[in-house]
Amino acid sequence: MKDAAAKTIYLKDYAPTPYLIETTKLSFDLYEEHADVYSVLSFVVNPAAAPSDRIELHGQDLTLCKLEIGEPGSLRLVPEDHYTVDRESLVLHSLSALLGKAAQSFELRCHTRIEPQNNTALEGLYKSKKMFCTQCEAEGFRRITYYYDRPDVMSSFTTRIAADKARYPVLLSNGNNIAEGEVEGSNGERHWVQWEDPFKKPSYLFALVAGDLSSIDDSFVTASGRDVALRIFVENKDLDKCDHAMDSLKRSMRWDEEVYGREYDLDIFMIVAVDDFNMGAMENKGLNIFNTSCVLANPKTTTDAAFQRVEAVVAHEYFHNWSGNRVTCRDWFQLSLKEGFTVYRDAEFSADMGSRTVKRVEDAAFLQTVQFAEDAGPMAHSIRPESFMEISNFYTVTIYEKGAEVVRMINLLLGD
């Protein structure tokens, strides 16, 4: 829970962090009662920021088990009187005192314990039925480990996941699968998989899924001739409802190459569709997580409108690979730059896949009935607000649909 007296965040107060996180190494040990999270963060001075001898990392509902600092290979425990932990943060007060010199670069190792099965916020890492799942946008990563949980701090992630092999045969995270095996001493009952994402990303794009899932598999050959594996993971009962989503994904990939010149950049693209995901869909790098309502479609039970919605949502999240992931926001005041722009992109895709005139009439009607009402009421706000108390409240039709119309206006004025 957040404190009742929530703090107002102002755009005018933006300042870069004094340090950047070059690399992030995460290790998850998943159990039924808890999860142990081990992070190794490589910090370097941020040349664009004012010098500071302290760091303040975000953290929420975490149990801190161990904290070490130093040069790689020579870490030592951080004495308790050198840091402060509260409900929202971990603060290291004097880096120079801890390191014995002015800190240009250092490594911070942290062991936190969390309880995904009791995480009713459904932010960060949570347990849903028989599966572990994450939702980190906008500020959920701070429920996993202590971190600069903001979009302007981008890091390359390596993630190792270990869990019970029978209960969680599928272990997924961002990037490419680089190694896997059985956990030593577990008599074959536990296994691990390691994922590496070579492209720097902010923490809100981190994803982890562990469960008993089946998949339909396909492939896509990019414009430059690379083979990309495509996998849609669902519960076994839903395997017969994934074909349309797979076809929509391949059409999206080809369209983004032909219209925007943007080619997919990893060896694999994965979608996970689960009943209990708390948003419609999320564009985590290389591992999109969807609510099943946005993926599953079967001609025997699904309407034409629902088929179109699946195509549009799959395209929207795929297009985020560039407009949101590789090119990301500086801060959450720029939310509409990724969401409004990507709504514009998915609308253009849908127009090319169907009738441009019908699509435009549908979008205009939605604006007039839903977004105009928001603009005319007490919830009216700019597509780039000047302040907010809770960023999750700004995922609105103004940010998305009005933002897309502003992009369309710019396109009309300036051209493609």
Side-chain angles (χ1 to χ4, degrees):
M1 285 181 59
K2 295 197 174 183
D3 293 327
K7 189 171 73 171
T8 301
I9 309 297
Y10 293 94
L11 172 61
K12 62 181 176 62
D13 293 335
Y14 170 82
T17 58
Y19 293 88
L20 300 173
I21 304 174
E22 283 287 290
T23 61
T24 299
K25 296 178 182 177
L26 299 172
S27 181
F28 291 81
D29 285 339
L30 305 179
Y31 301 96
E32 298 310 295
E33 298 80 22
H34 67 272
D36 285 314
V37 184
Y38 303 87
S39 67
V40 181
L41 311 180
S42 298
F43 286 87
V44 295
V45 165
N46 184 356
S52 175
D53 196 34
R54 70 196 292 272
I55 56 170
E56 182 174 350
L57 304 179
H58 301 106
Q60 227 175 327
D61 294 332
L62 306 174
T63 299
L64 179 60
C65 301
K66 191 175 183 181
L67 190 64
E68 297 177 291
I69 196 171
E71 301 292 330
S74 61
L75 298 179
R76 57 186 178 279
L77 283 173
V78 179
E80 289 189 6
D81 59 348
H82 280 66
Y83 68 90
T84 306
V85 174
D86 61 25
R87 293 181 63 189
E88 301 286 337
S89 64
L90 164 69
V91 180
L92 293 173
H93 300 295
S94 176
L95 294 173
S96 56
L98 286 166
L99 299 169
K101 60 179 180 179
Q104 294 299 308
S105 64
F106 60 94
E107 199 168 270
L108 187 69
R109 294 195 180 209
C110 183
H111 170 198
T112 55
R113 178 164 288 186
I114 55 179
E115 297 181 350
Q117 77 280 10
N118 295 324
N119 181 1
T120 54
L122 303 185
E123 295 178 340
L125 178 65
Y126 63 91
K127 183 89 180 288
S128 176
K129 294 181 181 175
K130 298 179 180 179
M131 191 172 77
F132 288 94
C133 191
T134 56
Q135 169 55 27
C136 293
E137 187 177 359
E139 297 177 337
F141 191 80
R142 63 192 62 190
R143 292 177 178 270
I144 295 174
T145 189
Y146 291 103
Y147 205 81
Y148 279 139
D149 190 14
R150 42 188 283 175
D152 60 340
V153 177
M154 300 175 71
S155 181
S156 50
F157 280 69
T158 304
T159 305
R160 182 186 185 275
I161 312 163
D164 184 276
K165 194 172 185 178
R167 287 177 171 172
Y168 311 104
V170 174
L171 305 175
L172 306 175
S173 191
N174 313 85
N176 301 315
N177 181 335
I178 59 170
E180 54 189 281
E182 292 186 349
V183 175
E184 285 187 35
S186 69
N187 297 319
E189 293 181 357
R190 290 177 64 81
H191 69 138
W192 61 270
V193 179
Q194 188 161 340
W195 295 84
E196 181 181 59
D197 188 352
F199 302 107
K200 289 190 174 184
K201 64 174 178 287
S203 57
Y204 83 88
L205 291 172
F206 173 79
L208 180 155
V209 173
D212 187 0
L213 298 169
S214 303
S215 69
I216 69 163
D217 300 352
D218 207 329
S219 63
F220 179 84
V221 180
T222 68
S224 66
R226 285 191 309 108
D227 237 355
V228 177
L230 308 178
R231 305 191 73 185
I232 299 180
F233 291 88
V234 292
E235 292 182 52
N236 192 63
K237 65 181 176 65
D238 294 325
L239 270 179
D240 63 338
K241 306 180 187 73
C242 298
D243 290 342
H244 177 61
M246 183 64 82
D247 291 341
S248 300
L249 173 60
K250 290 192 285 186
R251 287 194 294 272
S252 306
M253 297 176 79
R254 186 65 67 208
W255 186 88
D256 215 17
E257 289 182 345
E258 293 172 351
V259 178
Y260 279 86
R262 295 296 88 191
E263 188 176 302
Y264 186 63
D265 47 3
L266 290 169
D267 298 334
I268 186 170
F269 184 86
M270 297 172 286
I271 289 174
V272 175
V274 291
D275 291 333
D276 300 317
F277 188 59
N278 65 333
M279 297 179 75
M282 178 59 205
E283 71 268 18
N284 317 295
K285 178 70 181 179
L287 178 58
N288 289 184
I289 304 178
F290 285 68
N291 187 282
T292 46
S293 64
C294 298
V295 169
L296 305 184
N298 187 303
K300 295 178 181 178
T301 57
T302 306
T303 64
D304 289 352
F307 267 94
Q308 290 176 331
R309 180 171 182 258
V310 168
E311 180 181 65
V313 176
V314 168
H316 179 94
E317 304 307 333
Y318 173 74
F319 295 152
H320 266 310
N321 186 65
W322 282 97
S323 52
N325 294 6
R326 288 298 299 274
V327 182
T328 198
C329 304
R330 185 195 73 169
D331 53 62
W332 289 119
F333 295 98
Q334 297 183 351
L335 178 60
S336 197
L337 280 183
K338 79 177 182 76
E339 293 299 350
F341 180 40
T342 304
V343 168
Y344 169 75
R345 275 156 52 74
D346 81 55
E348 287 294 288
F349 166 77
S350 294
D352 284 347
M353 295 300 108
S355 165
R356 180 164 290 274
T357 303
V358 170
K359 174 62 177 168
R360 192 69 195 119
V361 169
E362 288 175 348
D363 288 349
F366 183 79
L367 271 172
Q368 289 179 318
T369 55
V370 181
Q371 197 281 318
F372 282 18
E374 185 167 272
D375 254 0
M379 299 301 290
H381 56 277
S382 163
I383 62 168
R384 193 209 66 184
E386 296 298 323
S387 66
F388 62 79
M389 294 176 70
E390 173 54 70
I391 186 56
S392 296
N393 293 336
F394 273 95
Y395 285 75
T396 63
V397 288
T398 295
I399 295 293
Y400 282 68
E401 272 68 31
K402 187 176 183 178
E405 293 304 310
V406 171
V407 173
R408 186 175 297 278
M409 177 185 71
I410 294 170
N411 175 254
L412 282 169
L413 291 172
L414 301 180
D416 288 343

